[in-house]
């Protein structure tokens, strides 16, 4: 299944109004988060009903958590992800400063320039895949 390109969607300019920009960011977050949650559950080989049992909730609660049309409480999302052995990685960016708010020290969130997004797109890769390949190539040359 090819993942939607939410980054391209987010970068489309719709308005200069702060309220519209904020609404777009919220919608992007809901879409991306719920898509990731469903994918993680599916990779774990669980149905909504099976995950609901593990969470101690009804299947409808899992369905609501996986819906981009619903508001989500952070605690519920974290519980869902934790049950599946996943972490929520969070960073806050202001200007050139990037603050990692996640408790996972093993993963570093970084800000990459737009040129990296363009090169990844041209290579038909996700940004994450592109950066991993670049780091592996760079590290391999460094060891010789």
């Amino acid at each position: 299944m090819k993942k939607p390109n939410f980054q391209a969607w987010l970068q489309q300019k719709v308005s200069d109004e702060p309220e519209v920009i904020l609404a777009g960011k919220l919608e992007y977050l809901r879409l991306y988060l719920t898509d990731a949650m469903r994918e993680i559950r599916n990779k774990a080989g669980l149905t909504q009903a099976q995950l609901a049992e593990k969470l101690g909730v009804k299947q409808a609660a899992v369905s609501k958590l996986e819906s981009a049309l619903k508001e989500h409480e952070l605690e519920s999302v974290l519980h869902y992800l934790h049950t599946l052995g996943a972490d929520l990685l969070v960073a806050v960016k202001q200007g050139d400063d990037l603050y990692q708010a996640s408790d996972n020290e093993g993963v570093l969130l970084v800000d990459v320039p737009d040129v990296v997004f363009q090169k990844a797109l041209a290579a038909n890769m996700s940004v994450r895949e592109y950066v991993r390949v670049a780091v592996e190539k760079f590290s391999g040359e460094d060891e010789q």
Side-chain angles (χ1 to χ4, degrees):
M1 178 177 104
K2 183 148 171 88
K3 291 183 69 72
N5 188 344
F6 292 127
Q7 283 293 333
W9 176 77
L10 182 64
Q11 292 176 1
Q12 293 176 2
K13 188 159 183 146
V14 176
S15 174
D16 290 328
E17 296 294 320
E19 296 83 15
V20 175
I21 293 169
L22 178 59
K25 287 181 178 186
L26 287 170
E27 188 64 19
Y28 167 79
L29 180 60
R30 279 191 198 107
L31 288 169
Y32 192 83
L33 181 60
T34 55
D35 185 57
M37 290 167 67
R38 279 188 304 276
E39 187 173 322
I40 290 166
R41 177 182 53 78
N42 287 330
K43 281 185 178 177
L46 296 174
T47 65
Q48 285 185 345
Q50 291 167 325
L51 179 57
E53 187 176 323
K54 287 179 174 271
L55 291 168
V57 299
K58 294 185 178 183
Q59 183 269 332
V62 172
S63 178
K64 285 180 182 178
L65 272 171
E66 293 182 358
S67 172
L69 302 176
K70 304 286 182 185
E71 293 289 330
H72 298 86
E73 289 192 18
L74 187 57
E75 291 82 3
S76 298
V77 171
L78 288 174
H79 187 221
Y80 176 108
L81 293 172
H82 179 75
T83 301
L84 292 169
D87 290 320
L88 179 65
L89 304 177
V90 179
V92 177
K93 183 175 184 225
Q94 182 182 38
D96 289 336
D97 296 326
L98 186 69
Y99 304 93
Q100 183 163 328
S102 304
D103 67 351
N104 188 333
E105 293 287 327
V107 176
L108 179 63
L109 300 175
V110 296
D111 187 21
V112 294
D114 287 337
V115 67
V116 174
F117 287 106
Q118 298 305 319
K119 289 185 178 211
L121 186 61
N124 199 26
M125 301 171 81
S126 72
V127 174
R128 182 180 174 89
E129 292 170 317
Y130 185 84
V131 169
R132 278 189 178 208
V133 168
V135 168
E136 287 172 7
K137 182 178 179 187
F138 178 78
S139 296
E141 291 175 0
D142 205 30
E143 294 172 354
Q144 292 177 357

